[in-house]
Amino acid sequence: MSLDQPPRLTVRAEVWPVAGSFIIARGARTEVTVVVAEITQTLGDGRTVAGRGECVPYARYNETVAQVMGELESLGEAVARGLDPQALQTRLPAGAARNALDCALLDLEAKRSGRPVWSALGLAVPRPVVTAQTLSLEAPEIMEEKARALARLPLLKIKVGGENPVAQVAAVRRGAPSPRLIVDANESWDPATLREILMAMADLGVDLIEQPVPAGQDAALAGLKQIVPLCADESCHVAEDIKDLAPYYSHVNIKLDKTGGLTGALALAEAAESAAMGVMVGCMLATSLAMAPALLLAPRADFVDLDGPLLLARDRDPGLSYEGTTLYPPPPALWG
């Protein structure tokens, strides 16, 4: 039997069209650019295997496609020498680039060994979960119409802005009286606005409010009676953030592009649980390849928001399987 050949890292950018447009408080998007890290290796038994990971460079965190691709390409020699996920944690900062490579390394080992990532990491067996369906920010009458078409779903997530958020949520509630509601302000409120409208959000049956105030202003939430639970998103990236956020939020939104991959995401989940905080597992707007690793966090999450592929005009093949908003574990050919 021959020896295994060194793994080879390739990096590419891909553009995926959005179904219509996706609008949040920071702007609108009609397409999304993702970066894919792929590691291929020919094994001594003659098999050639490949591990993949996908990330979304995010301008909000001062990331560009070129910068992320450069960070990944700089580690090509380290990958060839056997870089593993634990060593990677000190080679790149938390962020999109580390996410793509962390997930590619985990996927490669699963393909090499035939042992799923969840099993290798001692995690729960992946099972179908219900994900939120996101409604982007639009005029209240449009949001009401779109909500009416989704009224039978169990969980909706509403993107709102700094103007008329109560009217937007009320419109969705008129269109969809039954679903649980997550409201995502994407940092667009000031603390005074939150205090003024929190009771209205409670009266509308909102279950969770994501990142109501700008990151860095979290201490302004001190003493606020959370009649609607608050979830840190842009404020929370890694496990070390929990100690500063636990006094002000009941939940954290864990996204692999913030934590720098599944390895960092698991550490963040453990830190949140140790601080008695609830977990939401979320995503950037991306394909099924980005969602698949995050699904391994779903068993410990109070809220799952992994609907990125549902917002695209097309997805990977094979991709994740959705029945309505019930999301099924990934096929091995996709990831893990």
Side-chain angles (χ1 to χ4, degrees):
M1 181 178 291
S2 302
L3 297 175
D4 295 346
Q5 297 298 306
R8 186 171 72 91
L9 172 66
T10 58
V11 181
R12 63 181 180 272
E14 300 174 348
V15 178
W16 295 81
V18 173
S21 63
F22 183 70
I23 308 169
I24 67 172
R26 280 190 287 272
R29 308 184 74 173
T30 57
E31 62 182 27
V32 59
T33 301
V34 306
V35 174
V36 176
E38 184 167 9
I39 307 170
T40 57
Q41 185 176 23
T42 299
L43 305 180
D45 60 10
R47 291 183 298 138
T48 297
V49 294
R52 298 182 300 164
E54 176 183 312
C55 69
V56 181
Y58 201 38
R60 168 64 182 83
Y61 303 134
N62 300 313
E63 296 173 333
T64 67
V65 171
Q67 169 229 323
V68 166
M69 293 182 71
E71 289 180 342
L72 288 167
E73 289 165 348
S74 73
L75 291 179
E77 290 187 8
V79 169
R81 293 194 301 266
L83 181 72
D84 63 29
Q86 290 305 319
L88 173 63
Q89 305 309 298
T90 61
R91 297 297 299 269
L92 286 176
R98 196 173 81 187
N99 175 30
L101 190 50
D102 182 72
C103 292
L105 290 167
L106 291 168
D107 188 31
L108 178 68
E109 182 54 31
K111 299 297 193 296
R112 284 169 49 96
S113 66
R115 186 182 183 190
V117 173
W118 63 264
S119 176
L121 297 180
L123 303 177
V125 180
R127 301 188 184 283
V129 297
V130 172
T131 178
Q133 172 75 64
T134 302
L135 286 167
S136 65
L137 192 165
E138 300 187 71
E141 59 271 18
I142 296 175
M143 296 179 76
E144 179 177 351
E145 179 183 356
K146 290 186 174 181
R148 189 169 291 112
L150 303 173
R152 293 187 178 181
L153 298 179
L155 179 64
L156 299 180
K157 176 171 170 173
I158 312 165
K159 293 288 188 177
V160 300
E163 297 182 8
N164 300 319
V166 174
Q168 291 161 344
V169 176
V172 171
R173 183 52 89 196
R174 286 194 299 272
S178 300
R180 302 176 73 198
L181 297 182
I182 302 168
V183 170
D184 189 0
N186 285 116
E187 306 180 273
S188 64
W189 303 346
D190 57 44
T193 297
L194 173 61
R195 292 174 187 274
E196 290 171 4
I197 67 177
L198 193 57
M199 182 57 73
M201 293 291 168
D203 290 342
L204 288 165
V206 172
D207 288 271
L208 190 73
I209 297 175
E210 272 191 78
Q211 197 67 47
V213 301
Q217 296 186 22
D218 310 288
L221 303 176
L224 179 67
K225 184 177 180 182
Q226 294 193 24
I227 54 176
V228 179
L230 303 182
C231 178
D233 183 359
E234 286 85 349
S235 291
C236 187
H237 292 244
V238 295
E240 290 74 16
D241 294 331
I242 290 295
K243 63 181 183 299
D244 297 322
L245 298 173
Y248 313 120
Y249 295 94
S250 64
H251 290 69
V252 293
N253 188 346
I254 301 177
K255 295 176 180 175
L256 272 60
D257 275 316
K258 294 188 301 176
T259 64
L262 182 59
T263 301
L266 292 169
L268 175 53
E270 291 172 7
E273 291 162 357
S274 295
M277 298 180 76
V279 166
M280 176 179 181
V281 55
C283 65
M284 304 301 187
L285 187 56
T287 79
S288 284
L289 180 57
M291 306 300 119
L295 261 173
L296 300 190
L297 291 165
R300 61 207 302 174
D302 300 311
F303 299 91
V304 174
D305 177 28
L306 297 176
D307 66 338
L310 296 178
L311 304 173
L312 299 178
R314 56 185 175 84
D315 190 18
R316 298 188 185 276
D317 184 15
L320 291 171
S321 176
Y322 293 82
E323 288 185 5
T325 53
T326 298
L327 173 55
Y328 290 83
L334 174 63
W335 188 87

